[in-house]
Amino acid sequence: MADNPAQDPGPARDPDLEPGGGVTPGATPPETPQTSGLSAPEPRTSNRFPPTGTLAIILTLLLVALVAAVAVGLVVVAVGG
């Protein structure tokens, strides 16, 4: 595989390299324009926790408590209490 010149031509056989390692004009794609900063102002964000997040945490804690209560109930029944 290493003998195939199409896969790795090496610097001596690369058609786009000039002496010294530069490339011929047109051998590389043109530069793309760069933009700095944002294209539009970002909306102001609040520093408050959203009510839906609070509700999700409360529901998660209730679900965990329910699962724990059922697990304890099953252990008590299995032990023969």
Side-chain angles (χ1 to χ4, degrees), residues 22-42:
V23 293
T24 58
T28 58
E31 276 192 50
T32 56
Q34 299 293 321
T35 57
S36 62
L38 299 172
S39 59
E42 293 265 329

Side-chain angles (χ1 to χ4, degrees), residues 36-74:
S36 62
L38 299 172
S39 59
E42 293 265 329
R44 184 165 172 82
T45 57
S46 70
N47 293 328
R48 293 183 37 212
F49 197 70
T52 53
T54 304
L55 181 63
I57 289 175
I58 290 171
L59 289 175
T60 302
L61 290 175
L62 287 174
L63 183 63
V64 168
L66 177 66
V67 169
V70 169
V72 168
L74 289 174

